[in-house]
Amino acid sequence: MSVPADEPGNPAHAIFERFLRAGECREVLGCFEELCQQLCLQGSGLQLYHGLKAALNYWSAKALWSKLDKKAGHRDYDQGTAC
């Protein structure tokens, strides 16, 4: 049984922090793939985004979700339908 994503010491938190700090594309992609595997997430696009947002709900991730949601709501992205 896996540890809930909002519980302290959750491995998903450590993977997410490595993802945020990754400096090379290969490292970013590797961390993202590892994070999706850890959280048992599949899919792409908005489906994957909403799955990540629901599964990874702690302060560092919430800050990113807030920024992404604000950006997606901009008129250049048709309030989130174009991205």
Side-chain angles (χ1 to χ4, degrees):
M1 185 169 155
S2 65
V3 178
D6 59 348
E7 190 170 304
N10 186 299
H13 293 184
I15 298 167
F16 185 76
E17 291 300 327
R18 284 194 351 247
F19 168 77
L20 290 178
R21 288 172 177 67
E24 296 183 6
C25 185
R26 183 177 298 163
E27 187 180 6
V28 171
L29 294 173
C31 290
F32 185 77
E33 182 179 342
E34 185 180 353
L35 182 61
C36 289
Q37 288 174 354
Q38 177 68 37
L39 297 173
C40 301
L41 295 174
Q42 296 179 344
S44 62
L46 283 177
Q47 176 190 15
L48 181 58
Y49 173 69
H50 290 299
L52 275 169
K53 190 174 173 180
L56 196 60
N57 191 16
Y58 81 114
W59 72 270
S60 186
K62 285 181 181 182
L64 178 60
W65 307 148
S66 177
K67 290 174 186 173
L68 291 174
D69 289 343
K70 184 177 179 180
K71 187 72 165 177
H74 194 270
R75 66 183 176 104
D76 291 340
Y77 299 105
D78 290 332
Q79 283 68 45
T81 61
C83 56

